[in-house]
Amino acid sequence: MKRKAKPDGPKPAKNEEENKDEKTDGVSPDIKENGNEAEATEDNNEIRRPKRKVAVMIGYSGTGYRGMQVNPGSKTIEGDLFAAFVAAGAISKANSTDIKKSSFVRCARTDKGVHAAGNVVSLKLIIEDADVVQKINQALSPQIRVWGIEQTVKSFSCYQMCDSRIYEYLIPSHTTLPPHPRSYLGRKIEELAKEANDLEGFKERQKDVEGFWEDVEKSRIKPILDSLDPSIREVAMAEAHGTHVTSEPLDPVGAATLISSEGFADEEKAPNVSKDLTATVRRIKSVYLDSKKNSRISPYRLDRLRKALAEYQGTHRFHNYTTSDKRPSDPSANRHIMTFTADDPILIGNTEWISLKVHGQSFMMHQIRKMVSMATLVVRTGCPLERIRETYGHARVNIPRAPGLGLLLERPVFNSYNERAVGTYQRGTIDFNKYEAEIKEFKQRMIYEQIFQEEEKENHFHAFFAHIDSENDRRYLYFSSKGLEAVEGPRGSKWKRDDQKASGKAKQRGENQGEVPNRDSPGSDVASLAEEGVEDLNEADG
């Protein structure tokens, strides 16, 4: 390839960012062309073409993928994306076997089965072909789309220059219904409200759903029970609510034996009783699920949910919202949430859904799923909103993770870089709004529909909250009027002693443990933990 003739006269001044790149790029000057790196190749027959640092804006449905990050032997988003770059000629054959040769960086890592309407990768690509985006998309599965490619400054890293991230979480509105009064949690929250002299307040907070389950029992469950042998009615209801006396679920034969031994039915009838019991329990559970799906959230309850989500806004210690080894004194537990909102519900099929959107600087592992779970449980159990504020304290709180199914990365935000890109670098902005129509259609067809269909088939949300309701121990009794006082054996006291020691040492060093580090400062905990902070949604952990 012939090089272009050098212009006469002094070279034009480069901005500081470009000078920095020239010094640190580590690429031999004889493979440079117009300030951009020419494509090195081991194949003498392959024409060298210049590579440019770019930001690639993408979206994908994670269904069937083992996550975003390249993992040899597994089907991943990055693996398919990189192969498409090679197929489209955006990466040379010489560099096609090693993703690191292209300086590949991801903005946000998502795990198995998780979707993204918008994400960014930065790397060096050959982009002289005007149809390069179209060619890349032609080589990709319909589950992955490249929205656009913007040339950036050579030092650009989509990971380090991302200001914040926006996530969306889709959840059925029936998850805010109270636990059934016969479930363990349903019984205990009313008992504890009485003990705390808060029964009137409890009933006031649950006023919009008062009588919901009683109406279901009267209109839909009673006819089922009336058709049964009276001797198995109570056993069937106990089995349906997980309130039987044994620690393991009753199998049909065991249930029939129990009925026989207690004189509820003749031994000769045991096989028929067993079949009746199994079929009845399934019918009862099906009726409860159908009743939930047919319910619609009231304006009062939606307002309660919005107020619960607003409790997260600001800077707080989210040590209880990630892995169990995170301590309150750890500076990296401090995270800043800009907004957390709930849209008006929409009806999909027979189920009402609510879209929750959270905008934050960065997120720890499992943080968003635990925030959603905590807010939803506070609403459905009718406990005071202050329960959320209590989780920022020293006590160890066991917050369950909501299903990973509903979570998707909406988009990362690059406002700071975009300002410099226009004003200083004369580059294009990394802005997903330019592709709003395409993204909206893709989300509806490839992401939302996948979530709705999966929930309709598997009932993940129903199973998750039903399990919590029937869990026969005290770990979730802080969702009551008595709060953490109702939970046996809290570990918070030990943590408090440890944190007081740590705080004392910090003061001696002149440090402020409660302040969030500047995410742009060198060695910032928030910046260094940003990759850990991207929500990890491994189905195996869900």
Side-chain angles (χ1 to χ4, degrees), residues 177-181 209 211-218 288 291-292:
L177 285 170
H180 192 284
V209 290
F212 174 83
W213 288 116
E214 288 78 0
D215 291 343
V216 172
E217 296 291 329
K218 182 178 179 180
Y288 285 143
S291 299
K292 285 183 176 182

Side-chain angles (χ1 to χ4, degrees), residues 130-252:
D131 297 325
V132 65
V133 172
Q134 181 181 352
K135 290 180 178 179
I136 293 170
N137 280 328
Q138 287 174 347
L140 282 169
S141 156
Q143 287 184 233
I144 307 174
R145 293 292 88 185
V146 171
W147 306 126
I149 297 177
E150 289 291 346
Q151 186 174 350
T152 65
V153 295
K154 293 179 63 183
S155 62
F156 179 80
S157 166
C158 61
Y159 166 63
Q160 294 190 2
M161 295 188 181
C162 176
D163 294 322
S164 57
R165 298 167 176 86
I166 302 172
Y167 281 86
E168 181 176 13
Y169 193 97
L170 296 171
I171 188 168
S173 68
H174 65 69
T175 57
T176 63
L177 285 170
H180 192 284
R182 290 193 61 139
S183 68
Y184 177 79
L185 187 59
R187 296 196 319 272
K188 296 301 291 185
I189 56 176
E190 186 163 352
E191 291 176 11
L192 292 170
K194 292 178 182 177
E195 291 181 18
N197 295 319
D198 185 41
L199 187 58
E200 288 186 11
F202 169 75
K203 289 183 176 181
E204 175 65 20
R205 293 187 291 270
Q206 300 284 60
K207 62 184 178 182
D208 63 313
V209 290
E210 183 181 4
F212 174 83
W213 288 116
E214 288 78 0
D215 291 343
V216 172
E217 296 291 329
K218 182 178 179 180
S219 62
R220 304 192 63 183
I221 300 299
K222 188 177 182 299
I224 297 175
L225 297 178
D226 287 346
S227 67
L228 288 177
D229 184 325
S231 61
I232 66 170
R233 292 174 185 170
E234 187 57 34
V235 177
M237 288 296 287
E239 179 67 10
H241 291 286
T243 55
H244 43 74
V245 294
T246 59
S247 59
E248 298 296 329
L250 292 175
D251 63 89

Side-chain angles (χ1 to χ4, degrees), residues 12-52:
K14 295 183 178 180
N15 63 50
E16 182 179 350
E17 198 76 30
E18 293 287 358
N19 281 329
K20 174 184 173 184
D21 297 331
E22 188 78 18
K23 296 174 183 177
T24 62
D25 197 30
V27 179
S28 175
D30 59 357
I31 60 170
K32 295 275 185 176
E33 186 169 319
N34 289 337
N36 293 292
E37 186 181 337
E39 180 67 49
T41 175
E42 297 173 0
D43 187 347
N44 293 329
N45 295 324
E46 189 176 11
I47 299 174
R48 290 182 177 180
R49 290 179 293 166
K51 295 187 296 185
R52 292 172 171 80

